């Protein structure tokens, strides 16, 4: 009996040890899973493919093969695939399936972009598949526009009138209409293309599309910002302080445009120097004479930009804590009574730009003797206030409005002092 009791004790101790080991292993595994998730959120390029010239050339060769086979078309296809006027230069990056390539087109440097590698990877237009051969009745124009409006609404979260959608769609039937429709449909499924096609007429801070071939579209090549640049953007040392003040004012102008120029606020959920660029014609003369180029900043990557209706849809997810409600740079708050994230964003575009861009320029470590100590201190304090505005207990848009005007006044005063110091 004693031996049996001892055996039972050893078994119980062994069971407890196993349970403890399993719990420790589960905790260790959960820790690594959480660390991996945080790493991927902070650095999505970890899963990105290696960007190579060989693969990039193969992608464009396949594009041209589809063009010659009559599957796709576009204004740039002839120059890319036949005339040799659009020449591949180098691979810029691959990220989460997106392919971004640099090319030379008729003497200007452009960027070719597509959300996916192959034309065949985009879901086809159902109406084209249902339509039979040459003898089949044509697709009603009204039905096509209805599908286009539905796709744009799905992409942007907005309902747009037909006259706004017209630039996205082939206007006339005729030879090559099917590949035109198929190409336009593949482009419509790319959020950034839709933004770049519809918004440049409404905002000077959005790049326009120069042309397309199949599922690839071209925009102007501009030198993007980078954390490796001392001033975040490629600026000459001469007149750099003035240039930074002018660019900061342009960022404020962009914030104002994105908050009020469209039918709904446009939220920027991935704010970093790499997603913005300075227009090619921005020079020191632009600073001295702002009318030359009143707003040099443009958004060159808007894959993570969302209008208010889409933003609310993205944020309103299940949660167990506030950290579950952070979608990159767009934050919400968890309502623990229903375990649901609020649909209202609790930080603002201006707040994130102050935190990720302005703090680099206007921290206490960056001192310019041409700026008075009092003005420099006021600007630093305003940037700090801006970066911490709003939050769970406040309205970020009301708070941003007051700090916006303060920053604008201080930046204009800074620019004036710098210009007077040069006289």
């Amino acid at each position: 009996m004693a031996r049996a009791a001892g055996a039972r004790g050893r078994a119980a101790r062994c069971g407890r040890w196993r349970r403890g080991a399993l719990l420790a292993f589960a905790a260790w595994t959960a820790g690594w899973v959480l660390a991996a998730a945080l790493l991927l959120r902070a650095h999505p390029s970890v899963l990105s493919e290696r960007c190579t010239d060989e693969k990039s050339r193969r992608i464009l060769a396949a594009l041209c093969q589809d063009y010659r086979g009559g599957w796709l078309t576009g204004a740039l296809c002839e120059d890319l695939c036949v005339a040799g006027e659009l020449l591949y230069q180098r691979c810029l990056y691959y990220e989460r399936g997106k392919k971004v390539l640099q090319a030379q087109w008729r003497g200007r440097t452009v960027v070719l972009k597509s959300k996916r590698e192959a034309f065949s990877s985009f879901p086809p237009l159902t109406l084209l598949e249902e339509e039979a051969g040459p003898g089949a009745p044509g697709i009603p124009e009204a039905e096509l526009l209805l599908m286009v409006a539905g796709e744009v609404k799905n992409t942007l979260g907005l309902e747009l009138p037909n006259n706004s959608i017209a630039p996205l769609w082939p206007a006339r039937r005729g030879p090559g209409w099917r590949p035109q429709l198929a190409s336009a449909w593949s482009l419509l499924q790319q959020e950034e293309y839709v933004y770049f096609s519809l918004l440049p007429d409404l905002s000077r801070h959005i790049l326009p599309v120069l042309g397309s071939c199949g599922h690839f579209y071209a925009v102007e090549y501009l030198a993007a910002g980078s954390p490796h640049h001392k001033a975040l953007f490629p600026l000459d040392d001469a007149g750099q302080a003035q240039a930074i003040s002018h660019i900061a004012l342009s960022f404020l102008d962009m914030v104002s445009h994105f908050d009020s120029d469209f039918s709904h606020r446009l939220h920027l959920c991935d704010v970093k120097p790499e997603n913005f660029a300075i227009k090619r014609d921005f020079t020191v003369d632009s600073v001295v004479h702002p009318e030359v180029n009143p707003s040099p900043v443009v958004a060159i990557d808007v894959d993570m930009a969302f209008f208010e209706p889409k933003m609310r849809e993205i944020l309103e997810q299940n949660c167990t804590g506030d950290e579950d409600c952070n979608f990159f740079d767009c934050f919400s708050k968890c309502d623990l009574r229903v375990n649901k994230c609020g649909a209202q964003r609790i930080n603002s575009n201006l707040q994130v730009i102050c935190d990720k861009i302005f703090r680099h320029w206007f921290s206490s470590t960056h001192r310019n003797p041409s700026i008075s100590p009092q003005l420099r201190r006021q600007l630093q304090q305003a940037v700090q206030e801006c970066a911490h505005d709003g939050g769970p207990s406040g309205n970020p848009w009301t708070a941003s409005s007051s700090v916006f005007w303060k920053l604008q006044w201080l930046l204009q005063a800074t620019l004036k002092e710098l210009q007077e110091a040069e006289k």
Side-chain angles (χ1 to χ4, degrees), residues 222-359:
L222 295 172
S226 168
H228 302 300
H229 292 305
K230 182 182 175 184
L232 296 182
F233 295 92
L235 302 172
D236 294 334
D237 289 337
Q240 188 176 102
Q242 287 189 44
I244 285 172
S245 297
H246 191 56
I247 292 167
L249 283 166
S250 182
F251 266 107
L252 291 184
D253 184 70
M254 183 185 71
V255 165
S256 176
H257 275 257
F258 288 178
D259 279 357
S260 57
D261 274 13
F262 312 120
S263 56
H264 292 278
R265 180 177 283 120
L266 183 62
H267 295 271
L268 302 175
C269 293
D270 190 14
V271 173
K272 56 187 178 184
E274 299 94 313
N275 288 345
F276 301 95
I278 307 303
K279 289 178 182 174
R280 198 182 301 279
D281 56 353
F282 179 69
T283 62
V284 175
D285 288 337
S286 305
V287 179
V288 180
H289 306 287
E291 66 278 3
V292 174
N293 191 344
S295 237
V297 173
V298 286
I300 59 172
D301 189 323
V302 291
D303 281 332
M304 298 291 286
F306 306 97
F307 282 112
E308 181 74 24
K310 191 81 171 179
M311 185 79 265
R312 295 177 72 86
E313 181 185 320
I314 289 169
L315 289 176
E316 204 169 19
Q317 303 296 326
N318 295 330
C319 61
T320 56
D322 288 346
E323 64 278 1
D324 296 331
C325 302
N326 294 349
F327 182 76
F328 294 85
D329 290 326
C330 294
F331 301 162
S332 179
K333 187 171 174 58
C334 184
D335 185 346
L336 293 174
R337 294 169 300 178
V338 292
N339 292 112
K340 199 87 171 173
C341 297
Q344 180 70 42
R345 184 182 174 190
I346 64 167
N347 63 342
S348 67
N349 290 338
L350 179 59
Q351 186 178 347
V352 181
I353 286 169
C354 281
D355 184 35
K356 294 196 166 185
I357 307 287
F358 286 7
R359 279 217 281 205

Side-chain angles (χ1 to χ4, degrees), residues 38-47:
L38 292 171
L39 175 67
L40 291 175
R41 172 171 281 194
H43 303 284
S45 59
V46 168
L47 286 183

Side-chain angles (χ1 to χ4, degrees), residues 161-189:
N162 285 351
N163 60 341
S164 299
I165 297 169
L168 299 171
W169 206 242
R172 296 181 182 179
R173 297 173 184 269
W177 197 56
R178 279 178 65 93
Q180 284 181 44
L181 288 182
S183 300
W185 190 248
S186 71
L187 291 167
L188 273 175
Q189 294 172 63

